Amino acid sequence: MYVYTAYNLGIHSELPLPELIPSDKPADVVIRLGKLNEPQQKRSDGGNYLLATIAEFGMVLVKDGKEIVIDPNPGIDEAIIRTFLLGVIICVLLRQRGLLVLHASSVVIDGSAVAFMADSGFGKSTLAECFHAHGYSILTDDVLAIQVGGKQPLVIPGFPQIKLWPDAVASFGHVPESLPLLNSQTVKRVHRLQDGFFQQSVPLQKIYVLAWGTHSEIVPLEAKQSFGELVRHSREMQALTAPEFLKEHFRQCMSVVQQVPIYSLRRQRSLAALPDLVKLVENELVQGNLSPVTI
């Protein structure tokens, strides 16, 4: 078994996972290969026992937030297995463990987490990379796991990797070919961080929902809008549909809305404008200004 840590968990895996940090932690999660046969397996309950077929991947069983069994399609690229495993599959496991999981990246600013939430293609990872280039530490890329229920929601650190398109890689001074491909089905590259990755849980201070605009602008969202954005950007909602999971998910979203300010962060479709976006967020955090801010 290979032993790693991610999301504050000890992960023992039959597959090598070079994206994760090697560890000697005892097993909180075990990942193994095995034969899965849908007609012969216990039926999925939409909660703590999820058996699913993913067309381009194979079959997977995620059980009790502690066990992942994968039965990949013959001949599938190992990097594609890891992409699914550390993406949609880990999201299901984290939700089974009681965490709120959002489609967002996050960085640490002054000891707190600031999250950037959006659909694919809005530049969550690229913006996180820009903050990293300005000296800030990364907490998560794409999979934001939040522990809800205490005085303040806590962001759980993921693993030290940022996924980037080739033009973004070049804009930060990297040679695209020097970074590994995410997998053989995409031109995305992965920046595996040698430093600037924060390995402790920190309070969630603010969430910015990325949107396109003609200029950089921060606009506060009302509670109803904020709740809707959290639900819309929650990961793998279609997988865990048991009533108790849905009820808990909506409770978590409402709790975050009550404790964490959520804003629309409008940005231009320009990599050159990203440093100004970093500056705008820095200024807004210092000012604590709830009225619209523009540059």
Side-chain angles (χ1 to χ4, degrees), residues 53-152:
T53 299
I54 304 172
E56 59 271 51
F57 171 78
M59 291 189 68
V60 61
L61 172 66
V62 189
K63 183 180 176 184
D64 296 327
K66 298 177 180 178
E67 182 181 10
I68 296 172
V69 181
I70 55 176
D71 184 4
N73 293 331
I76 190 170
D77 180 1
E78 194 170 286
I80 294 178
I81 296 176
R82 299 201 309 271
T83 299
F84 278 101
L85 184 59
L86 299 177
V88 295
I89 296 172
I90 202 73
C91 288
V92 170
L93 180 126
L94 293 171
R95 287 199 60 209
Q96 287 181 342
R97 296 186 71 89
L99 299 172
L100 174 63
V101 186
L102 302 177
H103 199 187
S105 298
S106 63
V107 299
V108 179
I109 301 178
D110 293 332
S112 296
V114 174
F116 305 103
M117 185 169 69
D119 293 327
S120 297
F122 278 83
K124 301 180 300 297
S125 299
T126 308
L127 183 55
E129 176 78 10
C130 193
F131 271 91
H132 182 264
H134 282 74
Y136 295 97
S137 292
I138 300 293
L139 265 172
T140 61
D141 175 40
D142 205 41
V143 176
L144 179 70
I146 305 172
Q147 183 179 328
V148 182
K151 284 200 217 172
Q152 186 79 3

Side-chain angles (χ1 to χ4, degrees), residues 95-241:
R95 287 199 60 209
Q96 287 181 342
R97 296 186 71 89
L99 299 172
L100 174 63
V101 186
L102 302 177
H103 199 187
S105 298
S106 63
V107 299
V108 179
I109 301 178
D110 293 332
S112 296
V114 174
F116 305 103
M117 185 169 69
D119 293 327
S120 297
F122 278 83
K124 301 180 300 297
S125 299
T126 308
L127 183 55
E129 176 78 10
C130 193
F131 271 91
H132 182 264
H134 282 74
Y136 295 97
S137 292
I138 300 293
L139 265 172
T140 61
D141 175 40
D142 205 41
V143 176
L144 179 70
I146 305 172
Q147 183 179 328
V148 182
K151 284 200 217 172
Q152 186 79 3
L154 292 176
V155 174
I156 311 299
F159 50 93
Q161 174 177 286
I162 303 176
K163 301 187 293 291
L164 298 168
W165 294 106
D167 59 343
V169 171
S171 74
F172 291 111
H174 305 295
V175 178
E177 292 72 23
S178 70
L179 301 182
L181 283 168
L182 178 62
N183 61 59
S184 60
Q185 302 302 307
T186 180
V187 296
K188 270 191 175 181
R189 301 281 172 168
V190 290
H191 181 197
R192 292 178 183 163
L193 306 176
Q194 300 304 310
D195 53 26
F197 175 69
F198 206 80
Q199 296 188 51
Q200 297 178 357
S201 301
V202 293
L204 178 58
Q205 182 180 6
K206 291 187 180 180
I207 298 174
Y208 295 99
V209 184
L210 300 185
W212 298 122
T214 57
H215 56 277
S216 300
E217 183 181 20
I218 294 174
V219 180
L221 299 180
E222 296 178 355
K224 186 176 180 181
Q225 291 174 293
S226 297
F227 180 82
E229 293 289 357
L230 288 179
V231 172
R232 186 163 75 89
H233 295 295
S234 295
R235 296 293 305 256
E236 311 318 314
M237 283 291 290
Q238 77 285 0
L240 301 182
T241 55

Side-chain angles (χ1 to χ4, degrees), residues 21-36:
I21 299 172
S23 173
D24 58 0
K25 283 189 174 187
D28 299 298
V29 177
V30 174
I31 301 170
R32 59 185 179 87
L33 296 165
K35 293 304 293 181
L36 297 170

Side-chain angles (χ1 to χ4, degrees), residues 62 252-253:
V62 189
Q252 290 173 331
C253 288

